[in-house]
Amino acid sequence: MQFGIFTVGDVTPDPTTGRAPSEHERIKAMVTLALKAEEVGLDVFATGEHHNPPFVPSSPTTLLGFVAARTERLILSTATTLITTNDPVKIAEDYAMLQHLADGRVDLMLGRGNTGPVYPWFGQDIRNGIPLAVENYALLRELWRNDVVDWEGRFRTPLQGFTSTPRPLDGVPPFVWHGSIRSPEIAEQAAYYGDGFFANNIFWPKEHFVRLISLYRERYAHYGHGTPEQAYVGLGGQVFMRKNSQDAVREFRPYFDKAPVYGNGPSLEEFTEQTPLTVGSPQEVIDKTLTFREHFGDYQRQLFLMDHAGLPLKTVLEQLDILGEEVIPVLRREFAINRPADVPDGPTHESLITQANSVPV
């Protein structure tokens, strides 16, 4: 079981002071959070990809390459890499290069993106979102798995005798998660290839994601990759903690009430009741996170969103200390209890090499 954090890199004013960080401050803060994640014993740091204000992470590989040079153990991931508006050739090259620089500590989460204006900025049409995601990923797999590629599709110029460089480290491409909030087609795609499915269940009720994950598990087995229980599932989550739950609610409420992603919707109490958001004590976070296994089955990766809604860096670092010291050790123990032996652990470069070597030629 892998635990980590993900950031969307939003530049949001702190509602208690009215001050927003500069882009420079926000980018540096993301690096600080990644280093803190390794320090407190987390397994994964993931960054989103955005090309529109108020977000700053337009170049995930630049950020993750910088973090790779300053860490030793942390798995570096994306949340999300836009498979629709990035050219598959560039994705293949960039993430293979990052994989070499990080000595294999790289995977990526692919998504189609839901910000309409971004598509035409990169010469695409959001109405082609699903077909683009399907075709571009098929090409990406070819580029990583075949030394010489001939390709013709609907959305890009053909390739003839093309070799993507550098080749994946040890001949093993990075592990791929397909991230989705609402699209069964993406769950189907993940299942077809035997890849991971990441349900970013931070805003919608669990029943919605139970359906998506169940579909993915069933289709994973249908395509012969293993049992439904052996499918690779990742989940998102949001938490804010203080020693006493009353203090946590009081401190977080202005951020919830004023943040663009929350404001003018359900109350904090309603939102925490209906979604995975947990605002309270460390024990309350532990208790609610453990219910995820009851809803979704044993899974491989749990990422928490911690640095959103204008929370100052000092506060987020305090949250990571609590997460690493009081929450994750308990979750590791509890999730290990009664976990079936045939349910795989979270993917690593080493496990992918072992898996590749065990497949009959």
Side-chain angles (χ1 to χ4, degrees), residues 1 79 127 144 237 329 336 338:
M1 186 76 175
R127 291 172 293 184
W144 272 343
N338 297 325

Side-chain angles (χ1 to χ4, degrees), residues 29-329:
M30 293 166 67
V31 173
T32 299
L33 294 178
L35 302 183
K36 186 68 170 181
E38 177 159 281
E39 176 190 322
V40 302
L42 301 185
D43 305 303
V44 183
F45 172 80
T47 176
E49 177 188 346
H50 296 277
H51 300 276
N52 55 297
F55 304 98
V56 295
S58 58
S59 180
T61 50
T62 304
L63 174 64
L64 295 177
F66 186 76
V67 172
R70 302 183 63 185
T71 56
E72 297 180 355
R73 184 184 53 79
L74 203 61
I75 296 172
L76 307 172
S77 185
T78 56
T80 310
T81 297
L82 300 177
I83 187 62
T84 48
T85 51
N86 283 303
D87 185 81
V89 172
K90 190 64 171 144
I91 294 177
E93 294 174 341
D94 284 352
Y95 286 92
M97 175 68 80
L98 178 60
Q99 189 190 34
H100 282 273
L101 291 173
D103 295 322
R105 295 183 290 123
V106 172
D107 56 31
L108 66 161
M109 187 192 307
L110 298 179
R112 61 190 178 94
N114 57 9
T115 305
V118 173
Y119 279 72
W121 296 344
F122 292 88
Q124 301 295 348
D125 187 330
I126 194 172
R127 291 172 293 184
N128 295 327
I130 293 293
L132 272 167
V134 172
E135 180 176 299
N136 282 356
Y137 182 55
L139 174 54
L140 177 61
R141 286 181 63 88
E142 290 285 322
L143 293 167
W144 272 343
R145 286 165 171 78
N146 297 309
D147 289 340
V148 181
V149 172
D150 296 310
W151 173 269
E152 185 170 352
R154 173 183 169 191
F155 296 109
R156 73 173 325 278
T157 54
L159 296 173
Q160 295 182 343
F162 178 76
T163 299
S164 173
T165 59
R167 305 304 300 147
L169 178 64
D170 301 316
V172 177
F175 187 84
V176 169
W177 302 86
H178 298 259
S180 178
I181 296 175
R182 63 184 179 276
S183 303
E185 297 92 341
I186 300 303
E188 175 75 17
Q189 183 183 40
Y192 178 79
Y193 290 109
D195 296 333
F197 181 67
F198 190 90
N200 195 7
N201 60 326
I202 58 175
F203 290 126
W204 289 15
K206 64 179 180 299
E207 290 79 11
H208 171 77
F209 293 101
V210 166
R211 290 192 293 270
L212 276 179
I213 291 172
S214 296
L215 170 65
Y216 161 67
R217 289 188 183 277
E218 291 167 6
R219 300 300 288 172
Y220 182 95
H222 169 80
Y223 289 116
H225 301 299
T227 66
E229 295 76 21
Q230 293 172 325
Y232 290 91
V233 172
L235 298 176
Q238 299 177 83
V239 299
F240 186 86
M241 298 170 286
R242 288 302 183 199
K243 182 177 180 180
N244 299 312
S245 59
Q246 297 90 338
D247 293 337
V249 170
R250 182 174 60 252
E251 185 176 346
F252 188 69
R253 188 179 298 279
Y255 295 94
F256 179 90
D257 289 345
K258 299 295 184 181
V261 294
Y262 298 126
N264 303 312
S267 69
L268 174 58
E269 287 73 17
E270 291 170 330
F271 200 86
T272 53
E273 174 67 25
Q274 297 168 6
T275 76
L277 173 65
T278 309
V279 180
S281 67
Q283 187 60 52
E284 287 174 307
V285 170
I286 291 168
D287 291 342
K288 189 164 185 177
T289 305
L290 289 175
T291 68
F292 294 175
R293 178 163 65 174
E294 300 171 15
H295 304 317
F296 306 114
D298 285 290
Y299 60 109
Q300 282 70 33
R301 179 172 291 184
Q302 175 65 59
L303 300 184
F304 294 103
L305 177 63
M306 309 290 288
D307 65 326
H308 60 307
L311 288 165
L313 177 60
K314 177 178 181 294
T315 300
V316 179
L317 293 174
E318 292 168 351
Q319 295 292 303
L320 291 182
D321 277 328
I322 300 171
L323 189 69
E325 293 171 8
E326 302 184 43
V327 174
I328 297 304

